[in-house]
Amino acid sequence: MRLSRYFLPVLKENPAEAQIVSHRLMLRAGMIKQASAGIYSWLPLGFKVLRKIEQIIHEEQARAGHIAMLMPTIQSAELWRESGRYDDYGEEMLRIRDRHDRDMLFTPTAEELITDIFRAHVGSYKDLPLTLYQIQWKFRDEIRPRFGVMRGREFYMKDGYNFDLTKEDALHAYNRHLVSYLRTYERMGLQAIPMRADSGPIGGDDTHEFLVLAETGESEVFYDSQITDLKFGDREIDYDDHAACQAVLEEFTSRYARTDETHDEAIFNEVPEERRRTARGIEVGQIFYFGTKYSDAMGATVTDDAGNKVPVHMGSHGIGVSRLLGAIIEASHDDKGIIWPEGVTPFHCGIVNLKQGDDEADAACDALYAALTALGLEPLYDDRKERAGAKFATMDLIGLPWRITVGPRGLKNGVVELTSRRTGESEELPPEEAVKRIAAIYQGAA
């Protein structure tokens, strides 16, 4: 993409309404625009990052054997009355009526709808285990939406649902999701710590939230510092191996890590004092096992191998896709702007032409652009007739991990400048070597 042809409405000043870094930088970088309280339009740059995050989630869900689908945003209230949650959910649920005076609602979550789909089409234990998921818009009518996409009313979410014959099988699905989530977040450049949490209106006894440590987090968290040394890395795991998935669960949840809702001071005091930590955390996902809560209420049964009808065991598993953009920025920024991890960057690198209109500089930039594009990479070429300082400021603000700077002086020596956004370090090298270096970086990050 050439910046002269792109829609990137950056702001020079900090918006007065933005209270936290991610909200401020997303507005300044032209990623979002508020449509109404807690509801945002996703402009091209923000939409590209949203799609990058979504793609990583789809890839890791497929790796774990989960199947994508799509459910509507508007649901019938009758399903929620079956489960008993329609009146219990509270004012966060946006209740509406259609022209035929039928009670409807804008989806805050989809346990009832997916259970209705399951009971209509699955009747035998031979069709289990089954995990279905979607990435879809949700709505919760927050009384005080704030912090941009971190606590909005409309949000983009991955929600998955497992159906299993036994509790043992359902807990394996829980473990499988924990493993897949660890992989997902690390690919986005995040350390998301699984913490014992409260189930809230979803229900169930087994639940972990995944939290990213950040000063602006909405939750107070208590944890053993050893947990921050854990990395899933590039290890391979067989998702059908119950023992292997259980071992990962134990590795990442055996040390103390809880939100304020489930914090136990007595247990926390058993952690050596030098390892006790208190911080703030941003919730970016949660996994639940709730057994037969919905299958009992809604008649979601299968016939087992003895011919008996039994309710299926279920769990649900969510990732806040739109919220993740805010969390990544909160965890990765500096005074100049965003610093995108390679896994989710909207463009793989920026190309800055220091002397637009100079034949040699223009030709060199065009050649870099063509070479990177031919390798399947997406560069953003700043071909505007702007001062160098303004171009650098834009690149720093939008946070592309790498920048290639091209100018007449360097070209006389046969070099361009390759700069890391994260470290600020620059290196001069021939244009073709800069292309090879960028390609190698992203091949390693894949």
Side-chain angles (χ1 to χ4, degrees), residues 132-401:
L132 302 170
Y133 79 95
Q134 66 170 349
I135 299 179
Q136 176 63 294
W137 292 99
K138 308 289 192 302
F139 190 92
R140 293 176 190 167
D141 201 3
E142 292 275 356
I143 189 171
R144 209 171 285 109
R146 59 189 190 278
F147 305 152
V149 301
M150 297 288 288
R151 192 163 182 176
R153 293 193 296 162
E154 185 184 57
F155 54 96
Y156 205 42
M157 179 180 170
K158 174 263 167 181
D159 49 316
Y161 307 90
N162 66 283
F163 301 88
D164 291 277
L165 183 62
T166 66
K167 180 177 181 179
E168 178 188 1
D169 291 340
L171 288 176
H172 171 60
Y174 185 97
N175 297 350
R176 192 173 65 239
H177 277 86
L178 182 134
V179 174
S180 70
Y181 279 20
L182 290 171
R183 286 185 56 94
T184 298
Y185 295 126
E186 285 192 15
R187 283 186 61 187
M188 297 175 190
L190 287 174
Q191 181 176 47
I193 302 170
M195 298 192 179
R196 176 65 64 180
D198 181 69
S199 63
I202 303 294
D205 298 324
D206 292 270
T207 180
H208 281 87
E209 284 180 353
F210 290 79
L211 289 106
V212 174
L213 300 179
E215 292 179 3
T216 51
E218 73 271 57
S219 302
E220 187 175 17
V221 298
F222 304 82
Y223 63 96
D224 182 336
S225 64
Q226 281 191 343
I227 202 165
T228 58
D229 297 327
L230 298 176
K231 298 285 187 295
F232 190 85
D234 58 1
R235 70 179 94 171
E236 291 295 328
I237 190 164
D238 179 357
Y239 282 102
D240 292 327
D241 187 330
H242 286 225
C245 291
Q246 177 68 25
V248 174
L249 173 97
E250 291 172 0
E251 177 186 353
F252 281 84
T253 64
S254 59
R255 296 164 183 80
Y256 191 95
R258 296 194 182 198
T259 64
D260 49 4
E261 295 170 321
T262 59
H263 176 56
D264 187 315
E265 194 68 26
I267 299 175
F268 188 51
N269 287 337
E270 295 175 8
V271 178
E273 186 174 359
E274 68 274 12
R275 298 197 333 240
R276 287 180 223 154
R277 298 287 186 275
T278 304
R280 309 294 299 182
I282 299 169
E283 181 198 345
V284 292
Q286 190 164 3
I287 56 177
F288 304 84
Y289 162 71
F290 42 68
T292 60
K293 173 181 176 177
Y294 296 94
S295 52
D296 279 335
M298 299 181 68
T301 62
V302 295
T303 304
D304 65 15
D305 58 356
N308 303 309
K309 277 195 170 184
V310 295
V312 290
H313 288 254
M314 293 175 59
S316 67
H317 320 273
I319 292 179
V321 182
S322 52
R323 167 177 274 242
L324 269 168
L325 275 83
I328 292 169
I329 294 170
E330 292 291 335
S332 186
H333 69 272
D334 62 16
D335 292 341
K336 296 177 181 178
I338 302 165
I339 306 173
W340 290 117
E342 277 85 355
V344 297
T345 180
F347 296 95
H348 295 103
C349 76
I351 301 171
V352 171
N353 189 341
L354 293 180
K355 195 172 183 181
Q356 196 71 38
D358 178 87
D359 290 344
E360 190 177 3
D362 290 355
C365 289
D366 287 341
L368 284 166
Y369 185 89
L372 290 163
T373 303
L375 293 171
L377 299 172
E378 286 187 285
L380 179 63
Y381 173 19
D382 192 343
D383 60 342
R384 301 172 300 162
K385 291 184 178 180
E386 290 275 358
R387 293 178 296 105
K391 292 187 175 188
F392 290 146
T394 297
M395 286 295 176
D396 286 342
L397 174 61
I398 66 175
L400 307 186

Side-chain angles (χ1 to χ4, degrees), residues 36-160:
S36 60
I39 300 174
Y40 291 87
S41 296
W42 289 79
L43 306 183
L45 193 74
F47 185 61
K48 278 182 73 68
V49 181
L50 198 66
R51 283 287 178 257
K52 290 285 184 78
I53 289 173
E54 184 179 358
Q55 184 60 33
I56 290 173
I57 293 170
H58 278 306
E59 289 171 3
E60 292 303 328
Q61 288 297 296
R63 189 193 300 265
H66 307 156
I67 305 167
M69 61 176 296
L70 188 64
M71 290 178 275
T73 57
I74 304 296
Q75 296 186 31
S76 166
E78 290 308 309
L79 288 175
W80 286 66
R81 290 191 174 109
E82 274 192 67
S83 71
R85 283 208 301 174
Y86 185 70
D87 295 319
D88 294 344
Y89 203 87
E91 293 185 359
E92 284 189 357
M93 181 191 288
L94 183 63
R95 295 164 170 85
I96 53 181
R97 286 190 175 179
D98 67 12
R99 67 194 300 166
H100 301 292
D101 210 30
R102 291 177 294 219
D103 289 327
M104 311 292 284
L105 57 98
F106 197 118
T107 302
T109 182
E111 281 79 10
E112 285 81 2
L113 191 56
I114 196 70
T115 304
D116 181 55
I117 292 169
F118 177 88
R119 69 184 178 182
H121 297 289
V122 181
S124 170
Y125 76 97
K126 295 178 182 179
D127 296 320
L128 303 179
L130 178 65
T131 296
L132 302 170
Y133 79 95
Q134 66 170 349
I135 299 179
Q136 176 63 294
W137 292 99
K138 308 289 192 302
F139 190 92
R140 293 176 190 167
D141 201 3
E142 292 275 356
I143 189 171
R144 209 171 285 109
R146 59 189 190 278
F147 305 152
V149 301
M150 297 288 288
R151 192 163 182 176
R153 293 193 296 162
E154 185 184 57
F155 54 96
Y156 205 42
M157 179 180 170
K158 174 263 167 181
D159 49 316

Side-chain angles (χ1 to χ4, degrees), residues 7-51:
F7 182 60
L8 187 67
V10 298
L11 305 175
K12 292 182 179 179
E13 303 298 328
N14 288 326
E17 71 271 23
Q19 297 173 295
I20 63 171
V21 168
S22 58
H23 190 195
R24 183 164 66 247
L25 290 177
M26 289 182 77
L27 289 171
R28 284 199 58 211
M31 298 178 69
I32 56 173
K33 183 184 184 303
Q34 182 170 303
S36 60
I39 300 174
Y40 291 87
S41 296
W42 289 79
L43 306 183
L45 193 74
F47 185 61
K48 278 182 73 68
V49 181
L50 198 66
R51 283 287 178 257

